[in-house]
Amino acid sequence: MKGFFSLFVFLVIFGSVRGDLKLGFYKSACPKAEKIVQDYVNQHIPNAPSLAAALIRMHFHDCFVRGCDGSVLLNFTSSSGNQTEKTAPPNLTVRGFDFIDRLKSLLEAECPGIVSCADIVALAARDSIVVTGGPSWKVPTGRRDGVISVASEALAEIPAPFDNITTLIQNFANKSLDIKDLVLLSGAHTIGISLCTSFSNRLYNFTGVGDQDPTLDSEYAANLKSRKCRTQNDNTTIVEMDPGSRTTFDLSYYSLLLKRRGLFESDSALTRDSNTLALINQLLQGSLQNFFSEFAMSMEKMGQIEVKTGTSGEIRKNCAVVNS
Ligand code: HEM
Ligand SMILES: *[C@@H]1O[C@H](CO)[C@@H](O)[C@H](O)[C@H]1NC(C)=O
Ligand SMILES: *[C@@H]1O[C@H](CO)[C@@H](O)[C@H](O)[C@H]1NC(C)=O
Ligand SMILES: *[C@@H]1O[C@H](CO)[C@@H](O)[C@H](O)[C@H]1NC(C)=O
Ligand SMILES: *[C@@H]1O[C@H](CO)[C@@H](O)[C@H](O)[C@H]1NC(C)=O
Ligand SMILES: *[C@@H]1O[C@H](CO)[C@@H](O)[C@H](O)[C@H]1NC(C)=O
Ligand SMILES: *[C@@H]1O[C@H](CO)[C@@H](O)[C@H](O)[C@H]1NC(C)=O
Ligand SMILES: *[C@@H]1O[C@H](CO)[C@@H](O)[C@H](O)[C@H]1NC(C)=O
């Protein structure tokens, strides 16, 4: 009886608390794995810092559909003619995929068939945010890759820029993330960019009568209309979500929210719910270090959503294709 109890405690402490992932999972099978990712990121991200944003968003999109299982990377799946997740709009992240493919080639050369694509995304996202001067967080590894990727699921499960607070909270709750995680993870928009199409209804036709979103600062809206998104149909211009400090991982995203300059309805909505507003105020009153450590905790939670471990899934040979 005592034995069973000890075993139970052991499993709780070392097994399920991290969703069966563990720190340094590749320590014996591929000891250089994490270092290879980190070195490659350190070598290339300084020349292409905007890729850091693409990679953390890729990790988020991966985790929100079928768990963090690399499904976001697939070009096609074995049998059906399903369109994969990466084809679902909006898909600005498109430029990060070849970066992951190159990392995968390095890892396959070092230890073939060992390191999953899902772990590569999780590690690369963390390491590249660190390069930009942002927070670091723990990335326990051992994720395995999924074999299914369906565009319609990405559309249904990834929150939309026009979502209201009720939908956002529900959407995150569906992934075992709470409102604190919602507020903190939205903070990644401090380094975000967006196409006009993700918010131009707020500028041109908010309720279908050619009006503007009254919750958006009118001076800012006028500026966006004259300098950036000149028509409602502009689908090529890119706008910074945190103008002036787009490359810096800082608290200014939250200050802008309070000035009614959040770009998406989903950003702006965080200021009109008393619970999320209180969290924003707490973050702004705290230090940057405090934001970093809180953000880190939410990223660790996000990185463990519905992960596949043990014998489920596979270790893909090519991140864009399921093994045949
Ligand atoms: C809370 C709900 C969220 C919504 C509604 C949302 C929505 C969006 C949208 C619409 C874009 C622009 C895409 C485009 O125009 O093609 C974007 C960009 C971005 N999002 Fe979010 N997002 C959310 C949460 C997150 C989270 C949790 C993260 C990461 C932890 C994140 C990180 C980013 C980044 C870094 C970008 C810029 C991507 C780039 O530069 O390529 N977002 N988001
Ligand atoms: C997958 O698609 C990307 C473009 O998103 C392309 O660059 C890459 O070569 C494709 N890989 C395979 C194996 O089809
Ligand atoms: C991104 O979404 C657009 C709009 O739906 C689509 O036309 C395009 O093919 C997608 N890009 C990729 C790489 O699938
Ligand atoms: C194709 O999509 C359907 C749902 O639309 C899903 O049930 C099925 O598993 C997908 N097949 C593959 C091979 O991804
Ligand atoms: C939020 O959006 C959902 C889905 O569009 C809608 O059903 C709901 O009524 C909205 N809630 C509020 C409070 O506006
Ligand atoms: C949450 O999950 C439920 C059950 O899967 C689903 O019906 C609902 O649409 C999801 N809500 C959001 C906002 O994603
Ligand atoms: C605004 O949207 C409505 C409904 O979608 C449409 O009928 C109308 O023509 C649009 N107005 C403008 C000025 O684009
Ligand atoms: C952008 O809009 C133009 C004109 O409306 C359209 O022809 C084009 O396909 C659109 N491009 C994308 C990427 O949606």
Side-chain angles (χ1 to χ4, degrees):
M1 193 59 204
K2 190 157 171 267
F4 275 113
F5 182 71
S6 310
L7 179 65
F8 174 76
V9 169
F10 178 83
L11 288 175
V12 166
I13 294 175
F14 296 101
S16 53
V17 279
R18 288 201 178 276
D20 290 319
L21 300 176
K22 64 180 188 200
L23 287 167
F25 179 83
Y26 298 112
K27 206 159 33 184
S28 56
C30 189
K32 291 195 189 140
E34 295 200 20
K35 180 88 164 60
I36 287 172
V37 175
Q38 194 186 35
D39 287 348
Y40 192 76
V41 163
N42 288 346
Q43 191 183 344
H44 291 96
I45 296 294
N47 305 322
S50 72
L51 255 185
L55 292 170
I56 194 173
R57 182 167 180 243
M58 182 192 282
H59 184 34
F60 160 51
H61 283 202
D62 189 25
C63 293
F64 266 56
V65 190
R66 292 184 177 266
C68 317
D69 70 343
S71 54
V72 71
L73 303 169
L74 292 169
N75 282 5
F76 30 74
T77 46
S78 49
S79 52
S80 74
N82 281 347
Q83 291 271 46
T84 58
E85 288 168 29
K86 63 161 73 157
T87 67
N91 52 25
L92 262 185
T93 47
V94 75
R95 67 195 191 284
F97 295 118
D98 58 317
F99 189 82
I100 299 297
D101 286 343
R102 278 178 278 141
L103 270 170
K104 177 64 171 174
S105 304
L106 293 175
L107 290 161
E108 286 298 294
E110 174 74 16
C111 24
I114 301 291
V115 184
S116 70
C117 298
D119 277 343
I120 296 174
V121 172
L123 292 165
R126 190 266 317 272
D127 293 345
S128 32
I129 293 298
V130 170
V131 169
T132 67
S136 185
W137 56 89
K138 292 194 192 78
V139 179
T141 42
R143 294 169 189 76
R144 290 173 61 89
D145 298 322
V147 297
I148 296 171
S149 176
V150 187
S152 59
E153 294 177 356
L155 209 53
E157 297 187 45
I158 292 168
F162 48 79
D163 280 345
N164 62 34
I165 195 72
T166 318
T167 303
L168 290 168
I169 290 172
Q170 180 62 57
N171 181 289
F172 272 59
N174 276 357
K175 307 294 167 190
S176 305
L177 297 174
D178 59 25
I179 65 162
K180 195 171 171 189
D181 300 312
L182 170 62
V183 170
L184 284 156
L185 295 174
S186 295
H189 286 172
T190 181
I191 53 165
I193 53 173
S194 172
L195 288 168
C196 292
T197 35
S198 297
F199 59 88
S200 51
N201 68 313
R202 300 184 77 197
L203 304 175
Y204 291 101
N205 202 351
F206 190 57
T207 63
V209 296
D211 54 337
Q212 199 166 292
D213 183 345
T215 69
L216 182 62
D217 174 55
S218 56
E219 198 184 317
Y220 187 48
N223 226 297
L224 287 168
K225 283 159 85 168
S226 65
R227 303 208 188 155
K228 300 277 184 184
C229 313
R230 297 203 167 98
T231 68
Q232 179 164 11
N233 303 321
D234 178 340
N235 59 10
T236 53
T237 305
I238 282 168
V239 178
E240 304 155 279
M241 290 191 220
D242 182 4
S245 89
R246 161 201 171 174
T247 55
T248 326
F249 210 103
D250 57 16
L251 284 161
S252 57
Y253 162 81
Y254 296 107
S255 318
L256 289 174
L257 290 187
L258 296 186
K259 292 181 183 144
R260 300 159 37 111
R261 293 184 171 206
L263 205 52
F264 304 144
E265 288 169 74
S266 62
D267 298 315
S268 154
L270 301 175
T271 65
R272 288 188 306 282
D273 170 272
S274 58
N275 296 316
T276 51
L277 177 61
L279 289 163
I280 291 170
N281 283 319
Q282 275 170 37
L283 285 168
L284 285 170
Q285 281 149 23
S287 63
L288 188 62
Q289 271 319 312
N290 177 62
F291 168 45
F292 278 16
S293 61
E294 300 273 8
F295 185 84
M297 283 192 278
S298 291
M299 283 304 300
E300 285 170 41
K301 275 171 83 175
M302 191 187 90
Q304 293 176 34
I305 296 171
E306 300 159 32
V307 289
K308 298 175 174 66
T309 55
T311 53
S312 68
E314 62 181 17
I315 303 298
R316 243 177 255 155
K317 293 188 179 72
N318 176 332
C319 290
V321 196
V322 299
N323 295 344
S324 48

PDB file of all heavy atoms in Angstrom, residues 75 83-95 97 155, ligand 3:
ATOM      1  N   ASN A  75       2.478  20.675 -44.798  1.00  0.00           N
ATOM      2  CA  ASN A  75       2.016  21.170 -46.099  1.00  0.00           C
ATOM      3  C   ASN A  75       0.837  20.349 -46.585  1.00  0.00           C
ATOM      4  O   ASN A  75      -0.046  20.845 -47.245  1.00  0.00           O
ATOM      5  CB  ASN A  75       3.114  21.037 -47.158  1.00  0.00           C
ATOM      6  CG  ASN A  75       4.154  22.129 -47.029  1.00  0.00           C
ATOM      7  OD1 ASN A  75       4.107  22.922 -46.105  1.00  0.00           O
ATOM      8  ND2 ASN A  75       5.086  22.156 -47.966  1.00  0.00           N
ATOM      9  N   GLN A  83      -6.952  20.805 -46.781  1.00  0.00           N
ATOM     10  CA  GLN A  83      -6.055  21.948 -46.687  1.00  0.00           C
ATOM     11  C   GLN A  83      -5.510  21.953 -45.276  1.00  0.00           C
ATOM     12  O   GLN A  83      -6.261  21.753 -44.320  1.00  0.00           O
ATOM     13  CB  GLN A  83      -6.849  23.238 -46.926  1.00  0.00           C
ATOM     14  CG  GLN A  83      -7.345  23.414 -48.337  1.00  0.00           C
ATOM     15  CD  GLN A  83      -6.301  24.128 -49.195  1.00  0.00           C
ATOM     16  OE1 GLN A  83      -5.116  23.787 -49.147  1.00  0.00           O
ATOM     17  NE2 GLN A  83      -6.724  25.094 -49.959  1.00  0.00           N
ATOM     18  N   THR A  84      -4.200  22.193 -45.117  1.00  0.00           N
ATOM     19  CA  THR A  84      -3.618  22.144 -43.776  1.00  0.00           C
ATOM     20  C   THR A  84      -3.728  23.492 -43.057  1.00  0.00           C
ATOM     21  O   THR A  84      -4.056  24.501 -43.666  1.00  0.00           O
ATOM     22  CB  THR A  84      -2.147  21.683 -43.826  1.00  0.00           C
ATOM     23  OG1 THR A  84      -1.421  22.574 -44.663  1.00  0.00           O
ATOM     24  CG2 THR A  84      -2.045  20.271 -44.381  1.00  0.00           C
ATOM     25  N   GLU A  85      -3.420  23.464 -41.745  1.00  0.00           N
ATOM     26  CA  GLU A  85      -3.578  24.648 -40.891  1.00  0.00           C
ATOM     27  C   GLU A  85      -2.912  25.895 -41.447  1.00  0.00           C
ATOM     28  O   GLU A  85      -3.435  26.992 -41.350  1.00  0.00           O
ATOM     29  CB  GLU A  85      -2.979  24.370 -39.497  1.00  0.00           C
ATOM     30  CG  GLU A  85      -3.799  23.425 -38.659  1.00  0.00           C
ATOM     31  CD  GLU A  85      -3.026  22.950 -37.425  1.00  0.00           C
ATOM     32  OE1 GLU A  85      -2.162  23.677 -36.914  1.00  0.00           O
ATOM     33  OE2 GLU A  85      -3.281  21.816 -36.972  1.00  0.00           O
ATOM     34  N   LYS A  86      -1.728  25.716 -42.026  1.00  0.00           N
ATOM     35  CA  LYS A  86      -0.974  26.900 -42.439  1.00  0.00           C
ATOM     36  C   LYS A  86      -1.624  27.669 -43.587  1.00  0.00           C
ATOM     37  O   LYS A  86      -1.251  28.797 -43.857  1.00  0.00           O
ATOM     38  CB  LYS A  86       0.473  26.542 -42.783  1.00  0.00           C
ATOM     39  CG  LYS A  86       0.629  25.600 -43.952  1.00  0.00           C
ATOM     40  CD  LYS A  86       2.060  25.655 -44.513  1.00  0.00           C
ATOM     41  CE  LYS A  86       3.094  24.982 -43.614  1.00  0.00           C
ATOM     42  NZ  LYS A  86       4.304  24.570 -44.399  1.00  0.00           N
ATOM     43  N   THR A  87      -2.617  27.061 -44.233  1.00  0.00           N
ATOM     44  CA  THR A  87      -3.306  27.768 -45.314  1.00  0.00           C
ATOM     45  C   THR A  87      -4.447  28.641 -44.787  1.00  0.00           C
ATOM     46  O   THR A  87      -5.011  29.435 -45.526  1.00  0.00           O
ATOM     47  CB  THR A  87      -3.898  26.790 -46.353  1.00  0.00           C
ATOM     48  OG1 THR A  87      -4.956  26.057 -45.730  1.00  0.00           O
ATOM     49  CG2 THR A  87      -2.855  25.837 -46.888  1.00  0.00           C
ATOM     50  N   ALA A  88      -4.791  28.460 -43.521  1.00  0.00           N
ATOM     51  CA  ALA A  88      -5.917  29.219 -42.973  1.00  0.00           C
ATOM     52  C   ALA A  88      -5.518  30.675 -42.758  1.00  0.00           C
ATOM     53  O   ALA A  88      -4.452  30.953 -42.212  1.00  0.00           O
ATOM     54  CB  ALA A  88      -6.380  28.603 -41.650  1.00  0.00           C
ATOM     55  N   PRO A  89      -6.362  31.610 -43.176  1.00  0.00           N
ATOM     56  CA  PRO A  89      -6.038  33.021 -42.961  1.00  0.00           C
ATOM     57  C   PRO A  89      -6.340  33.426 -41.523  1.00  0.00           C
ATOM     58  O   PRO A  89      -7.195  32.792 -40.911  1.00  0.00           O
ATOM     59  CB  PRO A  89      -6.971  33.732 -43.927  1.00  0.00           C
ATOM     60  CG  PRO A  89      -8.144  32.808 -44.082  1.00  0.00           C
ATOM     61  CD  PRO A  89      -7.634  31.414 -43.858  1.00  0.00           C
ATOM     62  N   PRO A  90      -5.722  34.463 -40.952  1.00  0.00           N
ATOM     63  CA  PRO A  90      -4.546  35.138 -41.505  1.00  0.00           C
ATOM     64  C   PRO A  90      -3.264  34.359 -41.195  1.00  0.00           C
ATOM     65  O   PRO A  90      -3.156  33.778 -40.123  1.00  0.00           O
ATOM     66  CB  PRO A  90      -4.545  36.472 -40.768  1.00  0.00           C
ATOM     67  CG  PRO A  90      -5.256  36.213 -39.484  1.00  0.00           C
ATOM     68  CD  PRO A  90      -6.139  35.036 -39.673  1.00  0.00           C
ATOM     69  N   ASN A  91      -2.340  34.334 -42.142  1.00  0.00           N
ATOM     70  CA  ASN A  91      -1.170  33.471 -41.997  1.00  0.00           C
ATOM     71  C   ASN A  91       0.156  34.175 -42.292  1.00  0.00           C
ATOM     72  O   ASN A  91       0.960  33.695 -43.068  1.00  0.00           O
ATOM     73  CB  ASN A  91      -1.332  32.240 -42.881  1.00  0.00           C
ATOM     74  CG  ASN A  91      -1.666  32.649 -44.318  1.00  0.00           C
ATOM     75  OD1 ASN A  91      -1.332  33.742 -44.733  1.00  0.00           O
ATOM     76  ND2 ASN A  91      -2.284  31.748 -45.053  1.00  0.00           N
ATOM     77  N   LEU A  92       0.355  35.288 -41.646  1.00  0.00           N
ATOM     78  CA  LEU A  92       1.596  36.051 -41.804  1.00  0.00           C
ATOM     79  C   LEU A  92       2.863  35.252 -41.497  1.00  0.00           C
ATOM     80  O   LEU A  92       3.934  35.588 -41.974  1.00  0.00           O
ATOM     81  CB  LEU A  92       1.592  37.229 -40.817  1.00  0.00           C
ATOM     82  CG  LEU A  92       1.194  38.601 -41.284  1.00  0.00           C
ATOM     83  CD1 LEU A  92       1.404  39.585 -40.152  1.00  0.00           C
ATOM     84  CD2 LEU A  92       2.024  39.022 -42.476  1.00  0.00           C
ATOM     85  N   THR A  93       2.709  34.237 -40.659  1.00  0.00           N
ATOM     86  CA  THR A  93       3.877  33.491 -40.180  1.00  0.00           C
ATOM     87  C   THR A  93       4.605  32.743 -41.274  1.00  0.00           C
ATOM     88  O   THR A  93       5.638  32.152 -41.021  1.00  0.00           O
ATOM     89  CB  THR A  93       3.460  32.426 -39.143  1.00  0.00           C
ATOM     90  OG1 THR A  93       2.355  31.735 -39.669  1.00  0.00           O
ATOM     91  CG2 THR A  93       3.155  33.037 -37.821  1.00  0.00           C
ATOM     92  N   VAL A  94       4.082  32.771 -42.466  1.00  0.00           N
ATOM     93  CA  VAL A  94       4.609  31.960 -43.552  1.00  0.00           C
ATOM     94  C   VAL A  94       6.127  32.000 -43.663  1.00  0.00           C
ATOM     95  O   VAL A  94       6.749  31.021 -44.017  1.00  0.00           O
ATOM     96  CB  VAL A  94       3.915  32.344 -44.887  1.00  0.00           C
ATOM     97  CG1 VAL A  94       4.410  33.672 -45.430  1.00  0.00           C
ATOM     98  CG2 VAL A  94       4.061  31.243 -45.907  1.00  0.00           C
ATOM     99  N   ARG A  95       6.755  33.096 -43.253  1.00  0.00           N
ATOM    100  CA  ARG A  95       8.197  33.169 -43.435  1.00  0.00           C
ATOM    101  C   ARG A  95       9.012  32.384 -42.418  1.00  0.00           C
ATOM    102  O   ARG A  95      10.214  32.220 -42.588  1.00  0.00           O
ATOM    103  CB  ARG A  95       8.664  34.612 -43.473  1.00  0.00           C
ATOM    104  CG  ARG A  95       8.514  35.357 -42.175  1.00  0.00           C
ATOM    105  CD  ARG A  95       8.663  36.856 -42.428  1.00  0.00           C
ATOM    106  NE  ARG A  95       8.773  37.608 -41.192  1.00  0.00           N
ATOM    107  CZ  ARG A  95       7.754  37.866 -40.396  1.00  0.00           C
ATOM    108  NH1 ARG A  95       6.547  37.440 -40.710  1.00  0.00           N
ATOM    109  NH2 ARG A  95       7.926  38.543 -39.292  1.00  0.00           N
ATOM    110  N   PHE A  97       8.608  29.123 -41.701  1.00  0.00           N
ATOM    111  CA  PHE A  97       8.647  27.673 -41.937  1.00  0.00           C
ATOM    112  C   PHE A  97       9.995  27.155 -42.420  1.00  0.00           C
ATOM    113  O   PHE A  97      10.464  26.111 -41.979  1.00  0.00           O
ATOM    114  CB  PHE A  97       7.538  27.254 -42.914  1.00  0.00           C
ATOM    115  CG  PHE A  97       6.158  27.467 -42.366  1.00  0.00           C
ATOM    116  CD1 PHE A  97       5.267  28.341 -42.971  1.00  0.00           C
ATOM    117  CD2 PHE A  97       5.751  26.808 -41.212  1.00  0.00           C
ATOM    118  CE1 PHE A  97       3.997  28.554 -42.446  1.00  0.00           C
ATOM    119  CE2 PHE A  97       4.482  27.011 -40.674  1.00  0.00           C
ATOM    120  CZ  PHE A  97       3.607  27.888 -41.297  1.00  0.00           C
ATOM    121  N   LEU A 155      -9.076  27.768 -38.223  1.00  0.00           N
ATOM    122  CA  LEU A 155     -10.023  28.875 -38.295  1.00  0.00           C
ATOM    123  C   LEU A 155     -10.948  28.881 -37.073  1.00  0.00           C
ATOM    124  O   LEU A 155     -11.273  29.919 -36.513  1.00  0.00           O
ATOM    125  CB  LEU A 155     -10.843  28.731 -39.587  1.00  0.00           C
ATOM    126  CG  LEU A 155     -11.368  29.995 -40.219  1.00  0.00           C
ATOM    127  CD1 LEU A 155     -10.264  31.009 -40.439  1.00  0.00           C
ATOM    128  CD2 LEU A 155     -12.051  29.655 -41.538  1.00  0.00           C
TER     129      LEU A 155
HETATM  130  C1  LIG B   3      -2.688  32.306 -46.552  1.00  0.00           C
HETATM  131  O1  LIG B   3      -4.055  32.665 -46.595  1.00  0.00           O
HETATM  132  C2  LIG B   3      -4.453  33.199 -47.848  1.00  0.00           C
HETATM  133  C3  LIG B   3      -5.861  33.718 -47.710  1.00  0.00           C
HETATM  134  O2  LIG B   3      -6.724  32.689 -47.331  1.00  0.00           O
HETATM  135  C4  LIG B   3      -4.306  32.103 -48.920  1.00  0.00           C
HETATM  136  O3  LIG B   3      -4.686  32.611 -50.185  1.00  0.00           O
HETATM  137  C5  LIG B   3      -2.846  31.674 -48.976  1.00  0.00           C
HETATM  138  O4  LIG B   3      -2.694  30.604 -49.866  1.00  0.00           O
HETATM  139  C6  LIG B   3      -2.366  31.232 -47.585  1.00  0.00           C
HETATM  140  N1  LIG B   3      -0.929  30.979 -47.599  1.00  0.00           N
HETATM  141  C7  LIG B   3      -0.400  29.753 -47.508  1.00  0.00           C
HETATM  142  C8  LIG B   3       1.074  29.644 -47.457  1.00  0.00           C
HETATM  143  O5  LIG B   3      -1.083  28.740 -47.446  1.00  0.00           O
END
